[in-house]
């Protein structure tokens, strides 16, 4: 990790860490710059967005002069980020964190980014520049110095109070400071949204740091996982927890918007919302590790969405963290995008798509929560039954599919597969709990969906399940079949499908969702999809190909960034593509790791063998 960065003002996507307070997050680059943060919550307008426009997006930098190298790590068992500035003559460390807003860690409702520089050696000179750009850099602001406190930024979109242990000055609307520190000295900063204008008390930052470290340590101790991939699994769990909106229980798909899936842009989307599918999978991953509080929070959030759904309608694909259904998609033409990748989008038109599969992921997760968490309420059962009544009438319609394509609706195989899951899990719950339900009708629908997949979606001449009937397109989402118990992991049809996927969609052990040829209604190519790569690992593991699964999984671990975090996709040169960090990737890592761990432990053959693509 070299310092300073190249002339390119944009750090690679993977050169970031993430901090958060269970309301929102901030991305911190390896150079000590916060270049993305939305306040006061995930889907609010940005205050710092130089990740999407280095010139006008706004940033909050802390840098050390004449530094030769930087390193980043998380404090053990926490989401407190440490950036180390290394030089021949000096060493300084920057601690970045946000205090989690949780009953066990009260912070008075304030959203604030806390930064502390400590000097370990030499006399480094530290430069501070806090230059917010409110409302996606669409509104102006005024900055004024408050003696003894710091600087207050005021705009029509809100205010930011930057409290500092050193005097600040205002230049061109930014707060700046330059200070030379001796060994053992520190510089402390706290940027607070709509906060009280008060001095930064002596010892306040250290107290907040201790409180934050204690919170994360206590939270992580709930994990039941003690396997061989503990470091990767626990970092994934910590990343997923940062994507939970504590007040509502909702979970966002990723922390950012419009980071490109394709260099140069086109496939740029806003992921700062709650997808029913992603949140349901995440519930399963966290429950698998023993984190039941998050599952309970999401179940409550989900109950509200089911209750609010207009009579005779299905659930929407995605919602705001507060449950709002209107998420109009628009383009911010004044922002140039990450490395010029346009468009920069806010909102997501996929909210109005028809994606029938979400009911399957939802019912599977509710089934697991009911079995391993707490029995669900009668009111929730009734709300879910109404959703199944709607699905029973509509499951045979073409939809937009799991990948949210924009090339026209099809009767996607994955959607029919998940229809089977929805009614099969609902029937199980009704039987186990004795809940009132039209079980016979549900079983009939499950059987019809099962037959549709087997009779219409398997192509004997290709030897594979295809993306939809009467096509030759492969789809890596179907690797999930044995994971949801639709088929046995060694079923000949499934094994043949895995072979075809390996031939057409796997590249250097990484998996593409499908081949992008323009038929999905989108321009440009995309990288391999991390979720599918981890599903591939799990499919191989369940099929008994444990050595290959372990080899591929451990190769996937090398594609994590220096902090163990993943974006949505991986590019041809191993670069991160898409929004960052992405929940889908980390939840799939947890599932693959726990399954692989068990398979390796019980494997009677060699622990691993060399494997390569033929």
């Amino acid at each position: 990790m070299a310092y300073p960065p190249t002339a390119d003002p944009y750090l690679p996507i993977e050169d970031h860490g993430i901090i958060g307070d269970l309301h929102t997050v901030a991305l911190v680059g390896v150079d000590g710059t916060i270049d993305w943060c939305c306040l006061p919550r995930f889907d609010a307008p940005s205050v710092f967005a130089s990740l999407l426009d280095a010139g006008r997006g706004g940033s909050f930098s802390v840098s050390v002069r004449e530094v030769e190298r930087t390193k980043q790590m998380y404090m053990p068992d926490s989401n407190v980020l440490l950036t180390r500035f290394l030089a021949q003559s000096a060493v300084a460390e920057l601690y970045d964190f946000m205090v989690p807003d949780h009953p066990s860690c009260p912070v008075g409702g304030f959203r604030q980014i806390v930064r502390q520089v400590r000097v370990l050696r030499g006399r480094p000179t530290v430069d501070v520049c806090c230059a917010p750009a409110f409302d996606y850099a669409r509104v102006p602001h005024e900055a004024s110095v408050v003696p003894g406190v710091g600087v207050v930024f005021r705009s029509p979109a809100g205010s930011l109070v930057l409290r500092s242990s050193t005097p600040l000055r205002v230049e061109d609307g930014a707060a700046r400071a330059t200070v030379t520190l001796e060994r053992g000295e520190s510089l402390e900063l706290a940027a607070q949204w709509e906060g009280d204008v008060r001095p930064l008390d002596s010892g306040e930052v250290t107290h907040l740091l201790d409180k934050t470290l204690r919170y994360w340590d206590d939270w992580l101790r709930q994990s039941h996982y003690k396997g061989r991939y503990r470091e990767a699994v626990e970092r994934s769990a910590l990343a997923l927890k940062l994507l939970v909106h504590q007040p509502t229980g909702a979970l966002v798909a990723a922390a950012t918007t419009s980071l490109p899936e394709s260099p140069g842009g086109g496939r740029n989307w806003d992921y700062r919302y709650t997808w029913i599918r992603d949140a349901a999978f995440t519930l399963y991953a966290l429950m698998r590790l023993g984190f039941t509080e998050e599952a309970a929070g999401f179940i409550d959030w989900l109950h509200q969405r089911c209750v609010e759904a207009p009579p005779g309608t299905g659930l929407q694909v995605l919602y705001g963290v507060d449950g709002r259904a209107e998420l109009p998609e628009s383009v911010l033409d004044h922002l140039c995008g990450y490395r010029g990748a346009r468009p920069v989008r806010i909102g997501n038109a996929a909210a109005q798509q028809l994606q029938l599969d979400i009911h399957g992921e939802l019912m599977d997760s509710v089934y697991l929560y009911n079995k391993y968490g707490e029995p669900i309420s009668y009111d929730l059962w009734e709300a879910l039954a109404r959703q199944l009544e709607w699905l029973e009438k509509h499951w045979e319609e073409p939809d937009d599919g799991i990948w949210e394509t924009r090339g026209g609706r099809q009767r996607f195989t994955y959607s029919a597969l998940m229809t089977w899951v929805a009614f099969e899990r609902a029937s199980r719950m009704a039987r186990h709990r004795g809940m009132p339900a039209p079980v016979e009708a549900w079983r009939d629908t499950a059987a019809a969906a099962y037959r549709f997949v087997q009779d219409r979606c398997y192509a004997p001449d290709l030897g594979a399940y295809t993306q939809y009937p009467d096509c030759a397109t492969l789809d890596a989402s179907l690797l999930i079949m044995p994971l949801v118990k639709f088929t046995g992991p060694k079923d000949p049809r499934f094994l043949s499908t895995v072979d075809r996927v390996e031939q057409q969609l796997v590249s250097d052990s990484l998996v593409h969702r499908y081949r992008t040829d323009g038929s999905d209604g989108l321009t440009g190519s995309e990288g391999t999809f991390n979720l599918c790569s981890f599903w591939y690992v799990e499919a191989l593991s369940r099929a008994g190909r444990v050595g290959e699964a372990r080899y591929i999984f451990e190769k996937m671990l090398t594609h994590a960034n220096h902090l163990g975090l993943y974006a949505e996709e991986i590019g041809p040169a191993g670069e991160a593509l898409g929004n960052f960090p992405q929940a889908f990737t980390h939840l799939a890592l947890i599932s693959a790791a726990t399954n692989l761990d068990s398979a390796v432990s019980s494997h009677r053959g060699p622990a691993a063998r060399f494997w390569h693509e033929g």
Side-chain angles (χ1 to χ4, degrees):
M1 220 172 293
Y3 185 91
T6 64
D8 184 352
Y10 297 94
L11 289 173
I13 293 170
E14 61 267 27
D15 279 4
H16 289 87
I18 181 177
I19 58 175
D21 62 0
L22 310 183
H23 284 252
T24 190
V25 296
L27 266 60
V28 186
V30 294
D31 60 356
T33 298
I34 293 175
D35 55 16
W36 179 256
C37 183
C38 298
L39 291 168
R41 67 184 194 193
F42 296 105
D43 54 0
S46 64
V47 175
F48 302 116
S50 58
L51 186 65
L52 297 179
D53 192 313
R56 60 170 67 91
S59 64
F60 184 3
S61 65
V62 174
S63 59
V64 178
R65 295 183 182 179
E66 300 180 358
V67 164
E68 300 167 32
R69 189 175 299 275
T70 65
K71 298 284 186 180
Q72 271 188 333
M73 60 175 280
Y74 280 108
M75 296 293 287
D77 300 337
S78 83
N79 279 313
V80 174
L81 185 63
L82 173 61
T83 304
R84 306 184 69 221
F85 298 91
L86 308 174
Q88 292 291 330
S89 60
V91 173
E93 295 182 337
L94 170 63
Y95 293 79
D96 280 312
F97 62 97
M98 299 176 77
V99 185
D101 186 14
H102 188 270
S104 66
C105 189
V107 293
F110 297 124
R111 311 274 70 76
Q112 66 176 338
I113 300 168
V114 185
R115 320 194 74 181
Q116 183 186 59
V117 179
R118 299 179 184 177
V119 175
L120 278 67
R121 178 165 58 83
R123 299 181 67 251
T125 297
V126 181
D127 291 308
V128 175
C129 179
C130 181
F134 294 87
D135 189 21
Y136 305 110
R138 291 185 294 190
V139 299
H141 68 265
E142 295 181 351
S144 56
V145 174
V146 180
V149 176
V151 170
V152 178
F153 303 92
R154 293 186 174 89
S155 83
S159 65
L160 187 73
V161 179
L162 177 60
R163 299 183 294 145
S164 173
S165 64
T166 195
L168 301 172
R169 65 186 186 276
V170 171
E171 296 178 1
D172 298 325
R176 296 181 179 272
T178 300
V179 57
T180 299
L181 300 174
E182 302 286 346
R183 179 182 176 184
E185 291 185 334
S186 65
L187 167 64
E188 298 175 339
L189 302 158
Q192 186 169 298
W193 178 257
E194 302 284 5
D196 296 333
V197 182
R198 60 180 181 84
L200 195 60
D201 295 334
S202 175
E204 181 178 347
V205 166
T206 299
H207 171 70
L208 292 175
L209 176 58
D210 290 343
K211 180 186 291 189
T212 302
L213 287 169
R214 190 178 310 114
Y215 170 82
W216 288 117
D217 182 70
D218 290 345
W219 183 80
L220 196 58
R221 285 176 184 271
Q222 300 173 63
S223 174
H224 298 162
Y225 182 79
K226 308 299 179 187
R228 54 177 49 80
Y229 302 114
R230 183 173 177 178
E231 183 177 355
V233 166
E234 290 187 345
R235 178 49 53 195
S236 289
L238 286 162
L240 289 176
K241 178 62 173 176
L242 281 181
L243 299 178
V244 173
H245 185 246
Q246 182 68 33
T248 62
L251 181 135
V252 298
T256 58
T257 180
S258 299
L259 292 182
E261 299 171 15
S262 175
R267 298 171 183 260
N268 304 358
W269 313 107
D270 191 347
Y271 278 10
R272 298 170 300 146
Y273 306 111
T274 301
W275 271 253
I276 296 292
R277 177 190 307 111
D278 300 45
F281 275 134
T282 301
L283 179 152
Y284 167 65
L286 290 176
M287 278 200 307
R288 195 165 185 170
L289 301 180
F291 299 107
T292 56
E293 177 185 311
E294 291 70 26
F298 174 67
I299 290 293
D300 288 343
W301 181 88
L302 173 67
H303 188 182
Q304 289 301 311
R305 304 295 79 75
C306 290
V307 169
E308 293 168 1
T313 65
L315 284 172
Q316 195 166 280
V317 175
L318 66 139
Y319 297 85
V321 294
D322 58 355
R324 73 189 189 281
E326 296 298 322
L327 302 170
E329 185 177 299
S330 61
V331 173
L332 302 180
D333 289 322
H334 67 287
L335 297 180
C336 68
Y338 174 79
R339 290 181 170 170
R342 286 180 166 174
V344 175
R345 290 185 171 99
I346 57 173
N348 200 308
Q352 302 306 316
Q353 286 190 345
L354 177 65
Q355 297 177 25
L356 296 166
D357 68 280
I358 65 173
H359 299 85
E361 291 104 350
L362 171 60
M363 290 306 302
D364 194 34
S365 294
V366 172
Y367 166 78
L368 292 168
Y369 179 74
N370 181 75
K371 184 175 181 179
Y372 298 111
E374 296 288 337
I376 66 169
S377 68
Y378 174 71
D379 289 340
L380 176 57
W381 175 253
E382 286 290 285
L384 292 170
R386 288 193 295 272
Q387 289 298 312
L388 292 175
E389 181 181 359
W390 178 89
L391 181 61
E392 192 173 7
K393 297 174 182 176
H394 297 276
W395 77 271
E396 295 179 279
E397 298 175 7
D399 74 339
D400 297 293
I402 179 177
W403 305 132
E404 301 180 345
T405 58
R406 301 193 178 189
R409 293 179 174 179
Q410 298 286 348
R411 288 202 66 188
F412 286 103
T413 307
Y414 183 85
S415 297
L417 165 67
M418 282 296 161
T419 295
W420 173 84
V421 171
F423 287 102
E424 197 277 337
R425 300 305 191 265
S427 299
R428 281 201 212 183
M429 290 176 63
R431 183 172 66 252
H432 292 164
R433 289 282 306 278
M435 295 282 204
V439 175
E440 186 173 343
W442 287 357
R443 288 175 178 169
D444 288 345
T445 305
Y450 192 95
R451 291 191 189 97
F452 175 81
V453 173
Q454 297 289 18
D455 296 344
R456 297 285 311 282
C457 303
Y458 183 79
D461 55 337
L462 183 63
Y465 294 100
T466 57
Q467 192 171 58
Y468 50 86
D470 305 318
C471 80
T473 303
L474 296 179
D475 190 327
S477 67
L478 302 180
L479 292 171
I480 203 174
M481 283 182 166
L483 282 63
V484 296
K485 313 299 183 186
F486 178 85
T487 185
K490 297 182 181 180
D491 181 279
R493 286 188 170 194
F494 179 71
L495 291 178
S496 180
T497 299
V498 172
D499 289 342
R500 300 291 88 73
V501 166
E502 287 174 339
Q503 293 168 7
Q504 295 190 27
L505 299 183
V506 176
S507 173
D508 186 26
S509 78
L510 304 175
V511 184
H512 292 271
R513 296 187 291 181
Y514 53 88
R515 285 298 176 188
T516 52
D517 57 6
S519 61
D520 58 3
L522 301 168
T523 60
S525 60
E526 64 179 20
T528 55
F529 205 75
N530 292 327
L531 169 71
C532 296
S533 296
F534 284 120
W535 279 351
Y536 178 45
V537 167
E538 193 159 352
L540 292 176
S541 174
R542 290 173 182 266
R545 296 165 60 178
V546 179
E548 297 172 42
R550 186 174 183 181
Y551 171 71
I552 293 169
F553 182 82
E554 296 192 12
K555 282 184 75 174
M556 274 299 296
L557 294 183
T558 70
H559 287 288
N561 79 346
H562 58 291
L563 297 169
L565 302 175
Y566 292 85
E568 184 176 22
E569 300 180 1
I570 295 170
E575 73 275 22
L577 293 174
N579 287 306
F580 175 89
Q582 197 214 26
F584 244 169
T585 300
H586 287 282
L587 64 89
L589 183 155
I590 290 171
S591 182
T594 52
N595 182 269
L596 180 60
D597 213 26
S598 176
V600 170
S601 297
S602 61
H603 189 50
R604 291 293 178 260
R609 65 180 177 83
F610 180 76
W611 176 84
H612 68 280
E613 297 172 46

